[in-house]
Amino acid sequence: MGSTVHFNECNSDPALPPTDKLPISGLLALATAAFIALLTEVMPAGLLSSIASGLRVSDSFAGQFITAYAAGAFLAAIPVTSLTQGVRRRSLLLVTIAGFATVNAATALSSHYLLSIVARFLAGVFGGLLWSLLAGYAARMSPAHLSGRAIAIAASGATIAVVFGVPLSTLLGSLVGWQGAFGVMSALSLVVIGWVIAVVPDFPGQSKAERQSLVALFNIQGIRPILFLVFTFILSHNTLYIYIEPLLRPSGLSGSVGIVLFTFGLGSLAGLWLVGMLVDRRLELLALASVLFFTLAVLLLALCGNIPSAVYPTVIVWGLAVGGFATITQAALARFAGSAVDVAQAMYTTGWNTAVAVAGMLGGVLLDGPGTIVFPWVVAVVLVLALAGVLSMNRALHRRI
């Protein structure tokens, strides 16, 4: 712990005048960048048949647009972030956003499937790098005692994209076609580049002497419990989320997946707002509440999932639990990682994407085996592990006070 710098000591930069106010415009620029990254990732889900028709491939091949993005983010987050630790932060942020402008333009102009898949993979690379930058950047440009709220504002763009991304991409596709939709995202990236140049401050990268190895970072007290918590919580969430349509069949709501997910999204936005208000003062309580609320939702799904009127309040509770989870765990990670927060965030991103991949496989095995009736009970068992993770994280946080 001797070489670890508290993150709150790292966001007092001489280039920034002392203030007790959040740099809202700069944080909204980061939030918009996050919105572009997440919408770029999920957009093919709302345009699947149009992409398949336009590139003359099957729907399953068009679905690989999402797989290619996830693969890029998974494979590149840690190595690319490690290699770019010495680069000035705003320059790296601008390169990342410009990368989205380029790959989305390439997707918009491409008429070849292979070229489109390569562009999607590169989009994932830029996405993995952006997620590694985002939380640390938001905290560093804000007052130390408001760093958690700053992270919540920057993360709000991703949450909004989760809630509205698929219907928005479908709407864009109906107005300008699937290629035009990617073109719109490219143009929005150019707008954000100008916005970042105008209002987001620059920070230096790390010198070689300041950098920590992955092993040293992984061994910092508190890092492992957070990564374990992220893996188990996101595994639980995505096991349900990916297979939400078959899970809704017993209630007769499988034809209303869009409405159910929109309700979940509203709960997520409420959860993010609540966390943003309290995260700097009640981090440990919020972390525990997220796991307990999610467990409550899972038990309600297990016991009342066949009752239509019970499904909607259940998914609202689920959304409340999930909406602020990324902010909570990123804020905790920033406290432990200190000046190595960007590399820690890359480890976080890799763990998150690993959990999503494992959830897809686990859910598939359960669906082909015992069926949807066991989903909530299996997830409840995983959430017991998540509870152990959050208690371990909270003990480490308490020891830092």
Side-chain angles (χ1 to χ4, degrees), residues 366-377:
L366 294 177
L367 193 62
D368 292 338
T372 57
I373 192 170
V374 304
F375 269 64
W377 300 111

Side-chain angles (χ1 to χ4, degrees), residues 156-177:
S156 65
T159 304
I160 292 170
V162 167
V163 178
F164 300 109
V166 174
L168 180 59
S169 61
T170 303
L171 175 62
L172 281 174
S174 67
L175 295 174
V176 295

Side-chain angles (χ1 to χ4, degrees), residues 31-374:
T32 308
F35 175 82
I36 290 170
L38 208 289
L39 190 56
T40 295
E41 179 176 4
V42 304
M43 183 175 281
L47 301 169
L48 208 60
S49 59
S50 299
I51 293 171
S53 175
L55 295 177
R56 297 180 295 279
V57 296
S58 66
D59 283 356
S60 61
F61 271 77
Q64 301 313 303
F65 267 46
I66 296 175
T67 305
Y69 185 105
F74 174 81
L75 293 172
I78 291 177
V80 172
T81 302
S82 297
L83 289 171
T84 55
Q85 289 181 79
V87 179
R88 293 196 68 86
R89 299 293 89 183
R90 188 169 65 178
S91 297
L92 188 58
L93 177 63
L94 290 170
V95 167
T96 303
I97 301 170
F100 278 109
T102 302
V103 294
N104 280 326
T107 306
L109 296 172
S110 171
S111 58
H112 299 284
Y113 178 76
L114 182 58
L115 176 60
S116 299
I117 286 293
V118 171
R120 291 292 300 172
F121 179 86
L122 292 174
V125 172
F126 290 118
L129 181 56
L130 180 67
W131 299 131
S132 301
L133 278 170
L134 200 66
Y137 214 128
R140 192 172 184 181
M141 63 191 282
S142 304
H145 66 286
L146 296 176
S147 59
R149 188 175 299 182
I151 292 172
I153 294 172
S156 65
T159 304
I160 292 170
V162 167
V163 178
F164 300 109
V166 174
L168 180 59
S169 61
T170 303
L171 175 62
L172 281 174
S174 67
L175 295 174
V176 295
W178 74 269
Q179 289 173 302
F182 282 99
V184 169
M185 297 306 298
S186 181
L188 181 58
S189 299
L190 297 177
V191 172
V192 175
I193 287 173
W195 192 356
V196 168
I197 291 172
V199 301
V200 174
D202 192 14
F203 300 101
Q206 288 184 299
S207 67
K208 289 185 178 181
E210 293 175 312
R211 299 173 198 173
Q212 294 190 55
S213 69
L214 288 174
V215 174
L217 185 58
F218 189 72
N219 286 329
I220 292 175
Q221 183 186 42
I223 296 292
R224 291 189 301 277
I226 293 173
L227 296 177
F228 181 77
L229 170 61
V230 168
F231 179 83
T232 51
F233 190 98
I234 298 304
L235 172 60
S236 301
H237 165 63
N238 279 280
T239 299
L240 300 178
Y241 193 83
I242 293 171
Y243 295 95
I244 187 66
E245 191 273 334
L247 283 169
L248 291 174
R249 286 173 190 162
S251 66
L253 293 174
S254 59
S256 304
V257 172
I259 298 173
V260 172
L261 290 182
F262 183 74
T263 304
F264 167 84
L266 293 179
S268 297
L269 288 174
L272 178 64
W273 177 83
L274 182 64
V275 166
M277 292 294 101
L278 298 175
V279 66
D280 293 302
R281 292 175 285 126
R282 296 288 185 268
L283 180 58
E284 296 171 39
L285 177 63
L286 290 171
L288 180 61
S290 286
V291 176
L292 293 179
F293 268 70
F294 191 7
T295 304
L296 172 62
V298 168
L299 293 176
L300 287 173
L301 184 63
L303 299 173
C304 310
N306 60 336
I307 305 173
S309 60
V311 169
Y312 288 102
T314 296
V315 297
I316 288 175
V317 175
W318 179 13
L320 282 170
V322 173
F325 177 77
T327 298
I328 293 166
T329 46
Q330 286 176 334
L333 194 69
R335 292 191 185 183
F336 290 112
S339 59
V341 64
D342 290 347
V343 178
Q345 290 290 341
M347 297 168 64
Y348 178 103
T349 299
T350 301
W352 186 296
N353 284 313
T354 302
V356 173
V358 173
M361 293 185 287
L362 174 62
V365 170
L366 294 177
L367 193 62
D368 292 338
T372 57
I373 192 170
V374 304

